[in-house]
Each structure stands twice: as C-alpha cells, then as structure tokens.
Amino acid sequence: MSGNEFDLVLRAGRAVTPEGERAVTVGVRDGRIAAVEDAGAALEGARTVDVAEDEVLLPGLVDSHVHVNEPGRTEWEGFASATRAAAAGGVTTIVDMPLNSVPPTTTAEGLRVKREVAEGQVAVDVGFWGGAVPENSAPGATGELAALHERGVFGFKAFLSPSGVDEFGHLTPDLYRSATAAIGALGGQIIVHAEDPTLLDSAPQAHGADYAGFLASRPDEAEHEAIRLVIETARRTGTRSHILHLSTATALPMIERARADGVPLTVETCPHYLTIAAEEVPAGNTSFKCCPPIRGAANRDALWRALAEGTIDCIVSDHSPSTPDLKTDDFGSAWGGVAGLQVGFPAVWSEAAERGHSLADVVAWMSSGPAKVAGLPAKGALAVGRDADFAVVAPEASTTIDARTLQHKNPVSAYDGRTLKGVVRATYLRGDRIDLDKPAGRLLDRP
C-alpha cells in the first residue's frame, strides 16, 4: 500500500452508524471496513474520498426480495440490468427470488443454471433463494430441498396461492406443513407469499380498468388467514418463518402476539405499500398492480406504525417487472408486479421524512433489517468487520422519476412522474466505487 495504512479512507460529516448519525472517518482494507473513527482522525489511505457537505454516508442497502427472471424470461429483467438498477439505487446486495426464471430455482440443477448465467454480469453482490413447490415438499420427497440448502441458498420461498407461473406451483396447507418441517430440520428458513386461495376464489374476480374491483378481488381476509397458517406452523415446528410483502394491517395484532410468544417469525413490507394508497391509483394504470395489493391510506398509516414499533422488520422492493405489453389497462389480466428496485430508497425516504423518521430509521429498515432476515452478517452496517459497501446520498436533493431513464430493462414504473427526495450519488462495493459498465459483484452463498 506504498506506506498507506488503508486502501481507502472516507471522511463524512454525516454518516449513519449502528450508534446513530455522526461525523466519521472510515478506513477500508481488503474490501472490509477496518476502522470507523471520529471526524478528524488521521487515517492515511491510498485513496481518499471526502463526502460532500450535503451528502450522507450510509451502509449499502440490502434488498432480499428481487425477481431477476433470468434465464427464461430475461426480456422481463436480467442480472445485468437488475444489478445496475440496484447499484444506481444505493443497493449493494440483492437476493434473487426462485421463480419467473425458467428453470425455477427449485432443484440443485436449477440453481446451477441460475448461477452460471449470472456469473460475470452482476454489478452488486447476489444471493439466491430456493423454492418449495409441490414436487419437492411432500413427505419423503424433500431431497431437492436438502440439495439446495447444501449448495448455499438463503432459504426457501413458498406460495400458498397460485404464483402466476405454471412452473412454480403453490403449496396446499398439508404440503406447506411438510415443507416447513423439512426446512426446519435442515436449519433453514421458509419465506412465504401468504394469501389463502379459497378466499381468493370466493372473492369477486377483477376485470377492467377499475382499481377498486381489483382490490376487492384480493381481500385482506385472504392475506390474514394465510398468515394464520404460517404462524401456527412456525409455532409447532420452530422453523424460522418470514412473511413476504405484508400489505394488510389486519394481521398485525396476530403477528405481534406470535412474536411476543417467541414464535420465530419475521415480516417485511414494501415501498409501494408505504408510499402509495389505493385511493391514488389511476384507472387502468396497471403499473400499480401487485399481489397482495396496494390498500387504502388508513392501512398504509398502520403499516408505518408497525415499522416504528418493530413489528415489521424490514422494507424490500419485491421488484417484479415485466415487459410493457403485459401491463395492459385491464386489472384482471395484466401482470401483477411493481418494478421499484432502483427507486426504493427515495420513495421510502420521501415518505419517512414527512412522517418524522430519520435516515437511521431507513437504514435499519432497508439495510440492517433485510441483511439480518436473509442471514448476511457481513452486510447491513457501517461497522468494523463488515463489507465496505456504501451508498452516498444527498437526502435533501430531489428528482422526478422518468421510467425511461431507469436502469430497469423495461420502462414501466409505478413511480413514473413522481418527484422524490433523496438522490443516490455514488455506490461502493467492497471499497470500490461501482462502475455500471464494469460488473464486479459476487455470487453469494449462505454463510
């Protein structure tokens, strides 16, 4: 290092650390944070970066719920475009969902194919979830779950209602219990799309441009009752269980009671549930369609209270893109999914700041929270020993989102035209500033 103590030294008048926001001098060595000192500390580095006065140094954000779709539906999104979008949004680690790609990540062979196509084209670090489907979840047929666990997936995703793609089937309650027990025996975690199919089938079916009709087709009760099954199964098996994309506040009391009882349960929600209300969705604009759905303003307020109280552990994008032709103006037939990976931070920060929350709160929800849920001990904090992953943000600067200029493969976004506060000006991975044209991310295994 030519006599320099560190590879990189960053000096920031404002930084979010586990101890709170403060002025720091950070030393990076061999891709890890080697020192976090007070401002003015005389650290020497081969490179020095002075964070501007209007900027704040954050740990890199972690998004543990991203649908990359490659291979098989790469025209929807791919590893190159998704990870460039992540980096542009201050996200330094993503965990890829096991469906919407073909083959899905439900077998060791599916994981091998997925890793093979991702290698060499990722701009940020990427881990992988496995999938629990009928073929690998029945008693006596769980060998592929064990094989995926051995090969380093971070856990297993299951649907309790149809997933929307034929190659990733949903689990009946009995199959869900079987899969959860098998995953628990491996020491693994199950993550769950929780909507009850019987209640969905009995609800009025969505059609046309009316968002209220779509909302009625995915009632709170369907989500609530499926979460009840998740809690009861986690209580009985002791398997770590995670509720994906919570949209209904009706389940919060049940979740609070389960956690108070020591049930191993964690919960996430998403930026679109926190920043958009059903009353605001324009007729026929299916860029807002997702499952479970964006609900009303009062429900949104309750989700924010649950975040503040710690009932909800983290905020992740559930980035679920598609080609524009699948986003017709019919809420019944259009593809369901919000593309929001790049704009998650400004969307959440804009709303959080209005509600009196701090950048430290947002870091807890969008960095350390998802890192803990996924099991990424090297990520999620500006602290000694962690990976030197950083986002440099200008919290008071604003930008108007233009879907055509996002790094996402397709110009479809529920945030198109919205002016948001919080601009990501630079993103660092293991101490190197990310160059979107020179992918240097790594494929991660479960520690």
Side-chain angles (χ1 to χ4, degrees):
M1 284 188 284
S2 304
N4 295 308
E5 186 180 359
F6 299 100
D7 303 314
L8 171 69
V9 170
L10 299 103
R11 305 183 189 281
R14 295 177 63 191
V16 175
T17 74
E19 296 76 38
E21 187 177 306
R22 61 190 180 100
V24 297
T25 302
V26 178
V28 175
R29 186 185 302 117
D30 298 329
R32 294 287 184 103
I33 299 171
V36 181
E37 304 290 346
D38 291 335
L43 305 186
E44 295 185 10
R47 293 170 290 137
T48 300
V49 172
D50 292 310
V51 176
E53 288 187 5
D54 68 334
E55 296 173 344
V56 182
L57 184 66
L58 308 182
L61 306 181
V62 176
D63 193 335
S64 56
H65 194 150
V66 177
H67 294 267
V68 175
N69 305 333
E70 187 176 9
R73 293 188 176 92
T74 310
E75 69 274 16
W76 294 14
E77 193 73 276
F79 283 102
S81 54
T83 58
R84 286 196 302 266
V91 176
T92 52
T93 306
I94 67 171
V95 189
D96 172 58
M97 282 291 161
L99 72 157
N100 297 346
S101 57
V102 180
T105 318
T106 56
T107 65
E109 175 62 13
L111 177 62
R112 184 197 67 77
V113 172
K114 177 87 67 136
R115 293 181 66 98
E116 187 174 88
V117 299
E119 190 70 53
Q121 60 167 331
V122 296
V124 302
D125 286 353
V126 178
F128 302 93
W129 297 108
V133 292
E135 293 83 355
N136 65 17
S137 295
T142 58
E144 287 290 356
L145 297 179
L148 284 163
H149 184 77
E150 279 183 20
R151 286 161 177 78
V153 298
F154 283 77
F156 297 89
K157 181 174 187 177
F159 275 77
L160 297 179
S161 57
S163 71
V165 292
D166 292 340
E167 67 276 1
F168 199 99
H170 71 286
L171 301 182
T172 64
D174 283 345
L175 282 175
Y176 178 72
R177 295 181 186 103
S178 172
T180 302
I183 291 163
L186 295 169
Q189 173 177 210
I190 191 164
I191 64 175
V192 192
H193 180 122
E195 288 181 286
D196 183 285
T198 302
L199 290 172
L200 293 179
D201 287 344
S202 64
Q205 297 306 294
H207 60 87
D210 180 31
Y211 184 76
F214 170 67
L215 185 59
S217 77
R218 315 292 296 206
D220 297 81
E221 291 79 12
E223 201 176 348
H224 185 114
E225 287 308 302
I227 289 171
R228 185 187 305 279
L229 172 63
V230 174
I231 289 172
E232 290 173 352
T233 307
R235 188 186 298 275
R236 192 182 73 253
T237 63
T239 302
R240 286 181 295 133
S241 302
H242 180 68
I243 296 167
L244 297 166
H245 45 51
L246 179 73
S247 84
T248 180
T250 68
L252 288 168
M254 178 170 53
I255 290 167
E256 290 170 355
R257 289 193 298 272
R259 288 165 66 110
D261 291 344
V263 175
L265 185 72
T266 51
V267 184
E268 70 183 36
T269 194
C270 304
H272 39 279
Y273 301 133
L274 297 166
T275 64
I276 303 166
E279 297 88 341
E280 304 165 2
V281 176
N285 191 337
T286 59
S287 66
F288 293 87
K289 178 183 176 180
C290 55
C291 301
I294 294 166
R295 304 191 189 275
N299 184 88
R300 178 181 58 183
D301 292 343
L303 294 178
W304 276 104
R305 289 193 295 272
L307 275 166
E309 294 164 1
T311 305
I312 298 174
D313 299 87
C314 59
I315 304 170
V316 292
S317 69
D318 187 12
H319 179 66
S320 185
S322 71
T323 51
D325 60 294
L326 296 178
K327 284 292 193 179
T328 69
D329 61 2
D330 185 331
F331 276 102
S333 61
W335 175 256
V338 170
L341 176 56
Q342 185 172 333
V343 296
F345 169 75
V348 171
W349 169 237
S350 297
E351 187 76 18
E354 285 290 318
R355 292 171 179 267
H357 296 292
S358 67
L359 277 172
D361 293 330
V362 174
V363 165
W365 297 327
M366 300 189 76
S367 184
S368 56
K372 184 177 181 181
V373 166
L376 290 157
K379 307 293 186 179
L382 208 166
V384 172
R386 303 293 183 103
D387 286 351
D389 300 347
F390 310 111
V392 178
V393 306
E396 300 307 317
S398 63
T399 187
T400 300
I401 303 301
D402 181 344
R404 297 168 299 178
T405 66
L406 297 175
Q407 295 292 330
H408 305 163
K409 181 164 283 189
N410 292 290
V412 177
S413 174
Y415 299 97
D416 190 40
R418 291 170 72 104
T419 298
L420 302 175
K421 188 168 74 167
V423 174
V424 177
R425 291 186 175 160
T427 311
Y428 290 78
L429 184 66
R430 281 183 293 278
D432 290 324
R433 184 167 179 169
I434 294 176
D435 181 340
L436 298 185
D437 295 322
K438 297 178 180 178
R442 297 178 184 174
L443 305 184
L444 304 177
D445 295 324
R446 184 187 71 258

